[in-house]
Amino acid sequence: MDPVPALDEPLKKVLGPATAKVMAEHLGLHTVGDLLHHYPRRYEERGQLTHLADLPMDEHVTVVAQVADARLHTFASSRAPRGKGQRLEVTITDGSGRLQLVFFGAGVHKPHKELLPGTRAMFAGKVSVFNRRLQLAHPAYELLRGDAEETVETWAGALIPIYPATAKLESWKIGKALQTVLPSAQEAADPLPESLREGRGLVTLPEALLKIHRPHTKADIEEARARLKWDEAFVLQVALARRRHADAQLPAVPRRPRPDGVLAAFDDRLPFTLTEGQRKVSEEIFADLATDHPMHRLLQGEVGSGKTLVALRAMLAVVDAGGQAAMLAPTEVLAQQHHRSITEMMGELAEGGMLGGAENATKVVSLTGSMGAAARRRALLDLATGEAGVVIGTHALIEDKVQFHDLGLVVVDEQHRFGVEQRDALRGKGKQPPHLLVMTATPIPRTVAMTVFGDLETSVLDQLPAGRSPIASHVVPAADKPHFLARAWERVREEVDKGHQAYVVCPRIGDEEDGAKAKKKSPEDETEKRPPLAVLDTAEQLARGPLAGLRVEVLHGRMQPDDKDAVMRRFAAGEVDVLVATTVIEVGVNVPNATVMVIMDADRFGVSQLHQLRGRVGRGSAPGLCLLVSEMPEASPARQRLNAVASTLDGFELSRIDLEQRREGDVLGQAQSGTRSSLRMLAVIDDEEVIAEAREEAARIVAADPDLERLPALRTALDALLDEEREQYLEKG
C-alpha cells in the first residue's frame, strides 16, 4: 500500500532521460519527491540585485544583474593568427559592485546580440580571478524580460528562487523542471499528525511545497520554511524516539558494585578528590548500570576534564558485579596509552592473579592487532575465562576469535572515529546486550547531541580538575611576520631549557609525495600551491636549524606499532625534547611535562581538531602554550577561524563556531552513514527550539503508538528518511 505513487515517479519519465541523468549524478535526485524537496537556497527580488561585492571564489553562483556595457575585442592567437580571434567582455552591475563576463570564439555571437546595456538577466557560472578582477567565463544566462508570455509565467511573482545548482545544470533549469512537477505536490502525504499541525499553526505539506518553490511574498517563504523545518526535526526525532523505545525493551544484566570491592579500593588509593562534575556524572552512570535494560550514554567532556577516570570507575563497578568491561580506542597509540595510564592509576589492583596483586584485584589486559602471538593467546585466554576484568584494545577486540566470559560494559573512546558496524559487533559479544558508554572529547552543542546522538542519554563534564594550568594560544602569521616564527622556535628552546618538552604538529607525514619538495616561484603561489608541511621534512629542518642540539624525534601513523610505542615511552620519560608528529597525538596522549605545542599550517585543521591538539599541553602544573602557525592572509576566513580558537578555551563555544562555518550536512555523522544529509531546511544550531519541541512531541507519540499504526503517512515519511543505510546508522547508534 503506497499512498504517494506520484511522488515516487522516476524523473526520467517526467523530465526526459538527459535532464534526469544530470539530476541523479550531480544532485542525487531520482524521483519527483526528491526534486520537490530540493529547496531554493535563497530568493532574488526583481527589484533588487545580488551583492556582486561578496561573491565566493571557485564556487558556482547565480546572480541577477544589469548589463552596464559590452565590448567586442579582436586579437591574434595560435588558433586565429590573423587577428581574427574574438572576445566579448560584458560588465554587469548590481549597485554594490561590478563583475566582468567573458565569452570567446564562436560563443560571442548570441550574447553580443542579446546582452545590450540596460538588459537584466540571471547569470550562472564559476567565479574566477583574471588580472586581479573577479570574472565569470562563459556564464550561462537567462534574460529577464517580463513581457513575453512564457517568461512572465515562468518567473511569476516578484521572488525568483535560486537553487543549489551545478555546472551541468543551472538554477533556472532546475526551476523549470520544478514547474513541471509542482502539480504533484498536491498528492504529498502529510507526515505530521493533524492535531500537532493545527496546534502549532503550521500549513499543510502540499501548501508548504507550493510556497517554497513559488512564493508570492516573503511571508509565504517563512510559512513554508517553518513547516518544512518541523517535518525534518519531527521525522528524525520520531526515528530516534523509536530507537530509544526499542532499546528500553531489551534485557540487560543490572551491574551494582560491591561496597568492599575493587572500586572502593581504587577510590581509596586516588591521590586527589573527584571534581563535583566527575561525582555527578559517575552517579548518573551507576544508576544506569543498575537497571535491567542497557545503558546508552554519551559522555562528553572538555579536553582534560577526566573522562578516562569516570569511565574507569564505571568499568570497575561492572567488574565488582562479576562482569567484564572493554574499552575500544581508535588507534594503537591511544590503546597502549590508555592501558599504561589505567594500570598506573590502579597499581596492584590491576595485578589480579599475579604475585604482589591486591586481594580484590582484577587483571587488565591490552589487545591490539600488532601483538606477538604468545601475548595475544594469553590475552584471549584471560578474556574467555573471565580472569581479565578489564580489556583495552583497538578494533582487534571485534574479531570473531575474541570471546568474553561475561561482557557487561563497552566504553567507546572518541565516538566520531568509529564506524557504527564496529560498535555493533562489539556489543554483540555479550550474552545479553552490554551497557554502552560513548566518550567524546569534541564538545557537541546540545541541539546536535539531540539530533545526532538522540538515542543516547547525555552527560557533560565541563570542569577541569584542580591543578590544571591555563593554556595561552596565539596565532603566528608566518608569511606577514616571519620574525614571529623565529620567536616561536626561541620559545620552544626556552621551555626545553626549563626542563619541559614540546610538540610540533604537521598535517602530513612527508614520505608519500616526492613533488612536495619542489620549490615554487613566487610568494603568492607559495600558500596556494605548496603542499601542507610534512613531519619528516620539518623534523629534519628543525634539527639542523632553529632547534639544533635538542633531542628531536618523529611520530606518525605509518611507523611500526612497536616503534610508535617506543617513541611515546621515551617522550613520556623525558628522553625526547621535541616530538614532531601528525595528529596521532590528537587524543588521549598524556605527558604532563609537555608545555608547548606548535601547530604548523594550522589553517589545514578543523576548529575541533585544533582544540583537541591544544589539550595535549598544560596537563601538569606548568602553564601551557599553543602557537598556531599559518601563512594565510589576515582577512581570510581561515585566519578568522584560527583567531576564534586562540581567543577561547571553551570547547562548546568553539564547536558552535565550527558548525556555523561548516555545512549542516557534516553534522549528521556522514562519515558513519555515508548517505546525503537529510537536513535541507533545518539548521541544527539555529533551530534549537524546534528540535527540542519536536523531541518532546515525538516521545509522546511513540510512547502512545510505538509502531505508528495510527499514522501511516508518518511511517511512509520515516521509511523515506531512513533508507536502509541510515536506518542501520541509527540502529547501531
Side-chain angles (χ1 to χ4, degrees):
M1 181 202 85
D2 190 358
V4 285
L7 270 62
D8 290 341
E9 186 87 29
L11 286 173
K12 61 171 175 269
K13 279 193 177 170
V14 188
L15 303 174
T19 307
K21 185 170 183 244
V22 176
M23 286 197 169
E25 284 176 8
H26 294 274
L27 297 169
L29 308 175
H30 303 277
T31 65
V32 168
D34 290 346
L35 180 53
L36 286 171
H37 288 292
H38 185 72
Y39 307 133
R41 179 179 282 161
R42 55 189 173 81
Y43 300 85
E44 285 300 352
E45 292 180 61
R46 291 276 171 109
Q48 289 184 341
L49 298 172
T50 339
H51 275 284
L52 295 181
D54 25 272
L55 287 178
M57 276 296 296
D58 280 340
E59 275 194 34
H60 272 279
V61 297
T62 303
V63 297
V64 175
Q66 189 160 350
V67 176
D69 66 57
R71 295 190 183 149
L72 191 60
H73 301 275
T74 52
F75 60 92
S77 71
S78 55
R79 286 191 180 169
R82 295 207 192 92
K84 294 278 175 64
Q86 291 195 308
R87 180 174 80 244
L88 176 65
E89 289 179 4
V90 178
T91 306
I92 58 172
T93 176
D94 65 352
S96 78
R98 296 165 87 80
L99 180 65
Q100 186 98 15
L101 315 177
V102 244
F103 301 88
F104 291 102
V108 304
H109 304 307
K110 183 166 178 275
H112 190 214
K113 285 209 297 278
E114 294 183 333
L115 297 179
L116 304 171
T119 308
R120 302 273 300 289
M122 295 171 85
F123 301 92
K126 193 171 181 183
V127 182
S128 57
V129 168
F130 181 70
N131 277 345
R132 299 188 177 269
R133 285 164 66 193
L134 291 183
Q135 70 166 27
L136 296 182
H138 278 286
Y141 62 89
E142 178 87 0
L143 301 179
L144 297 177
R145 296 195 182 85
D147 50 2
E149 197 48 46
E150 190 260 352
T151 323
V152 173
E153 187 44 49
T154 314
W155 308 110
L159 295 161
I160 303 169
I162 304 291
Y163 290 93
T166 74
K168 296 264 191 283
L169 204 64
E170 293 90 10
S171 168
W172 55 84
K173 288 187 181 159
I174 298 172
K176 284 180 175 168
L178 267 152
Q179 298 300 334
T180 311
V181 301
L182 211 48
S184 307
Q186 293 307 328
E187 297 184 46
D190 202 324
L192 289 193
E194 201 166 333
S195 56
L196 187 159
R197 188 174 60 70
E198 289 175 351
R200 295 187 176 273
L202 299 167
V203 298
T204 63
L205 181 56
E207 190 180 339
L209 290 171
L210 209 61
K211 285 184 167 171
I212 202 80
H213 293 297
R214 296 276 304 266
H216 291 292
T217 62
K218 287 186 175 168
D220 284 353
I221 300 170
E222 286 314 304
E223 278 186 5
R225 279 191 172 148
R227 162 61 214 244
L228 295 167
K229 276 179 183 179
W230 249 95
D231 274 18
E232 286 175 13
F234 178 69
V235 175
L236 189 58
Q237 291 301 337
V238 167
L240 292 164
R242 290 184 71 195
R243 193 62 253 132
R244 289 194 301 275
H245 181 84
D247 284 339
Q249 316 305 311
L250 288 174
V253 180
R255 310 279 178 173
R256 295 184 183 85
R258 298 198 315 274
D260 56 346
V262 64
L263 175 62
F266 174 74
D267 283 349
D268 287 345
R269 55 168 289 143
L270 277 178
F272 49 81
T273 52
L274 297 176
T275 64
E276 184 56 40
Q278 286 171 325
R279 268 205 303 278
K280 183 174 124 306
V281 169
S282 289
E283 278 162 19
E284 291 171 350
I285 291 171
F286 291 160
D288 281 358
L289 289 174
T291 61
D292 53 11
H293 58 84
M295 163 170 86
H296 285 105
R297 191 166 279 281
L298 173 70
L299 169 57
Q300 47 169 330
E302 267 298 3
V303 179
S305 57
K307 289 182 297 300
T308 312
L309 178 63
V310 169
L312 176 56
R313 294 185 73 237
M315 289 158 85
L316 297 180
V318 169
V319 171
D320 274 346
Q324 290 169 296
M327 180 185 258
L328 201 53
T331 63
E332 293 217 349
V333 167
L334 196 50
Q336 285 158 344
Q337 177 93 21
H338 275 319
H339 183 251
R340 227 178 3 254
S341 63
I342 283 174
T343 46
E344 277 167 19
M345 278 198 273
M346 289 176 65
E348 71 268 21
L349 294 173
E351 295 167 2
M354 297 186 236
L355 277 174
E359 65 178 277
N360 52 3
T362 185
K363 202 167 188 180
V364 178
V365 299
S366 124
L367 188 63
T368 60
S370 62
M371 282 169 83
R376 187 178 173 77
R377 263 199 309 278
R378 229 178 10 257
L380 288 172
L381 188 64
D382 286 342
L383 289 179
T385 58
E387 184 85 6
V390 174
V391 58
I392 294 145
T394 54
H395 50 236
L397 282 176
I398 297 165
E399 291 165 14
D400 293 344
K401 290 193 206 63
V402 182
Q403 297 297 323
F404 289 86
H405 177 65
D406 178 15
L407 181 61
L409 170 67
V410 174
V411 178
V412 177
D413 191 14
E414 282 307 300
Q415 141 82 21
H416 62 284
R417 302 231 176 162
F418 264 107
V420 176
E421 291 73 18
Q422 293 165 311
R423 291 208 305 274
D424 204 41
L426 191 56
R427 269 166 59 178
K429 299 234 173 235
K431 295 185 178 71
Q432 284 192 317
H435 298 283
L436 176 69
L437 180 66
V438 172
M439 298 198 296
T440 173
T442 309
I444 304 165
R446 178 171 153 263
T447 42
V448 181
M450 279 195 298
T451 310
V452 183
F453 302 112
D455 53 341
L456 301 177
E457 299 300 324
T458 305
S459 296
V460 177
L461 270 179
D462 46 14
Q463 277 175 295
L464 289 187
R468 267 306 170 80
S469 306
I471 305 170
S473 306
H474 303 285
V475 178
V476 177
D480 317 347
K481 300 179 179 165
H483 59 284
F484 276 38
L485 184 57
R487 176 73 189 113
W489 302 127
E490 282 172 21
R491 282 291 289 119
V492 170
R493 275 188 174 283
E494 287 164 14
E495 287 298 309
V496 173
D497 288 345
K498 289 182 199 162
H500 296 306
Q501 292 159 280
Y503 297 100
V504 176
V505 179
C506 302
R508 208 163 53 89
I509 296 173
D511 52 3
E512 68 277 70
E513 294 166 29
D514 299 328
K517 298 185 184 83
K519 288 280 172 278
K520 294 286 180 287
K521 283 118 355 237
S522 73
E524 290 107 281
D525 285 357
E526 284 284 29
T527 44
E528 277 190 56
K529 302 275 171 51
R530 139 175 111 55
L533 290 171
V535 166
L536 300 176
D537 307 344
T538 304
E540 196 184 319
Q541 287 161 10
L542 291 175
R544 281 208 315 260
L547 302 184
L550 301 187
R551 297 168 297 176
V552 177
E553 294 210 20
V554 300
L555 179 70
H556 58 75
R558 273 211 291 281
M559 288 164 66
Q560 288 303 313
D562 292 351
D563 298 344
K564 279 195 274 201
D565 201 40
V567 170
M568 271 320 296
R569 278 175 193 279
R570 285 202 297 278
F571 190 64
E575 294 161 19
V576 174
D577 298 321
V578 179
L579 187 61
V580 183
T582 54
T583 54
V584 289
I585 60 156
E586 181 185 344
V587 285
V589 173
N590 186 19
V591 179
N593 191 43
T595 54
V596 196
M597 159 127 356
V598 182
I599 303 177
M600 307 303 290
D601 279 344
D603 47 89
R604 309 260 183 168
F605 299 97
V607 169
S608 308
Q609 210 175 15
L610 291 170
H611 183 57
Q612 282 293 325
L613 286 165
R614 167 170 65 185
R616 300 303 110 215
V617 295
R619 300 178 81 87
S621 51
L625 172 66
C626 177
L627 301 173
L628 306 166
V629 180
S630 170
E631 295 188 358
M632 296 309 271
E634 197 162 348
S636 63
R639 271 286 287 282
Q640 287 161 9
R641 221 173 43 234
L642 295 180
N643 291 341
V645 174
S647 67
T648 177
L649 290 172
D650 180 342
F652 286 91
E653 177 55 32
L654 286 174
S655 68
R656 274 190 95 91
I657 293 168
D658 195 17
L659 271 172
E660 281 161 7
Q661 294 186 337
R662 291 187 306 161
R663 287 200 311 282
E664 233 28 88
D666 302 347
V667 174
L668 285 188
Q670 294 305 74
Q672 305 194 34
S673 70
T675 50
R676 286 186 309 133
S677 164
S678 58
L679 297 192
R680 298 186 178 89
M681 194 56 81
L682 195 69
V684 178
I685 289 283
D686 303 336
D687 297 320
E688 192 160 347
E689 273 177 36
V690 175
I691 292 170
E693 288 172 17
R695 184 179 162 113
E696 279 170 29
E697 292 276 10
R700 200 171 47 73
I701 281 166
V702 170
D705 180 8
D707 292 327
L708 308 179
E709 283 167 1
R710 297 193 287 284
L711 298 165
L714 177 55
R715 278 207 71 126
T716 306
L718 209 54
D719 296 342
L721 169 77
L722 303 179
D723 47 38
E724 281 166 47
E725 215 171 353
R726 205 172 162 75
E727 174 78 315
Q728 288 165 2
Y729 163 51
L730 289 172
E731 280 205 353
K732 294 174 183 173

